[in-house]
Amino acid sequence: NGSATPPVAGVLTLAAEDQAGGSGVAEMRFGYQADLSARPWVPFRDVTQLDHITGSRLFVEVRDGVGNRSVTVSRQFDMPGLLYLPLIK
């Protein structure tokens, strides 16, 4: 009887900027598949809480205030990000 690793929540920290004199980064969308077309655009935040991150490839795209989109970037999250501390008696 095997057990699945439970999903681990995480915090996504993003840095994005528009070209000089541009309208500024306004929105973002992200998902676990390369095709983000079905994902909704949400206001850009530099820190976002994610429900499941371990073992996933996350894809992110941003756009500026006039609708110019960035390329889609991705990151693989293989480590659960857990910290094990020694037992002290």
Side-chain angles (χ1 to χ4, degrees):
N1 183 14
S3 62
T5 303
V8 175
V11 175
L12 174 66
T13 303
L14 294 174
E17 60 184 40
D18 198 1
Q19 64 187 6
S23 59
V25 177
E27 296 178 306
M28 64 182 184
R29 62 182 175 182
F30 53 88
Y32 299 104
Q33 297 179 22
D35 181 3
L36 296 174
S37 61
R39 303 295 301 163
W41 290 99
V42 297
F44 179 80
R45 294 181 305 272
D46 57 355
V47 176
T48 301
Q49 181 71 35
L50 299 175
D51 294 332
H52 178 222
I53 199 165
T54 304
S56 299
R57 177 167 291 279
L58 183 69
F59 297 85
V60 179
E61 183 180 24
V62 298
R63 69 179 175 187
D64 66 11
V66 295
N68 297 314
R69 295 181 359 203
S70 70
V71 297
T72 301
V73 296
S74 68
R75 167 88 192 270
Q76 179 72 34
F77 295 95
D78 293 322
M79 299 300 293
L82 300 177
L83 175 63
Y84 294 96
L85 298 173
L87 178 63
I88 299 173
K89 291 185 179 183

